[in-house]
């Protein structure tokens, strides 16, 4: 499936215009294309307690799951491509937390828009921590991670 990057960026810009950013003034929008062709968006939502602020990518992945599209596997709701932009329309790279979140929604092959063009997420998040790491480290007696 081909990715219409200009349309994805435009959807991210539209999402950024709806961001709630009264503290930083940095509006961020994210748009992702799922394997079934749907485009899902999210925007940042700040909070006076900065630790409670939600990144645009969090909103995007939440919307993806809330729509029932992402089963956590390689199904039709798996993200194929993501564009994240500031309010000025210029690309922003996802923070580390969001790279981890996007990994579970699209895998290492997820294409992330950058100022230099699309890059696979596994390049931006090498040696990623995955569900396999959790499974491998569980305590067999309790099922808990040691």
């Amino acid at each position: 499936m081909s990715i219409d990057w200009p349309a994805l960026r435009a959807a991210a810009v539209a999402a950024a215009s709806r961001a709630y950013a009264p503290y930083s003034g940095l509006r961020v929008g994210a748009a992702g294309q799922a394997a079934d062709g749907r485009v899902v968006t999210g925007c940042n939502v700040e909070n006076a307690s900065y630790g409670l602020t939600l990144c645009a990518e969090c909103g995007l992945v939440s919307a993806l799951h809330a729509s029932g599209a992402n089963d956590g596997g390689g199904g039709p709701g798996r993200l194929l491509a993501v564009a994240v932009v500031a309010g000025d329309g210029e690309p922003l790279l996802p923070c580390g937390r969001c790279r981890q979140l996007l990994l579970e929604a699209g895998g290492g092959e997820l294409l992330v828009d950058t100022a230099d063009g699309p890059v696979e997420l596994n390049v931006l998040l090498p040696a990623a921590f995955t569900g396999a790491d959790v499974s491998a480290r569980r305590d067999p007696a309790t099922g808990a991670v040691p």
Side-chain angles (χ1 to χ4, degrees):
M1 170 177 292
S2 72
I3 307 299
D4 183 348
W5 289 103
L8 209 54
R9 282 184 216 110
V13 169
S17 74
R18 296 185 293 274
Y20 178 70
Y23 305 102
S24 72
L26 176 62
R27 294 174 175 272
V28 180
Q33 182 174 326
D36 64 6
R38 285 177 312 106
V39 172
V40 182
T41 63
C43 62
N44 61 319
V45 178
E46 294 182 348
N47 188 282
S49 173
Y50 288 109
L52 296 178
T53 293
L54 297 175
C55 297
E57 299 89 335
C58 293
L60 181 150
V61 172
S62 181
L64 183 71
H65 283 281
S67 71
N70 193 308
D71 62 3
R78 182 178 59 89
L79 286 177
L80 298 179
V82 172
V84 182
V85 300
D88 63 6
E90 293 300 313
L92 285 176
L93 285 174
C95 68
R97 173 181 176 236
C98 290
R99 291 176 194 197
Q100 183 68 38
L101 187 67
L102 291 169
L103 179 69
E104 292 205 18
E109 309 80 35
L110 172 69
L111 293 173
V112 179
D113 191 25
T114 75
D116 295 324
V119 174
E120 285 191 355
L121 183 58
N122 58 19
V123 172
L124 300 175
L125 188 64
F129 182 82
T130 69
D133 295 302
V134 174
S135 295
R137 298 294 177 105
R138 274 201 179 98
D139 181 331
T142 65
V145 177

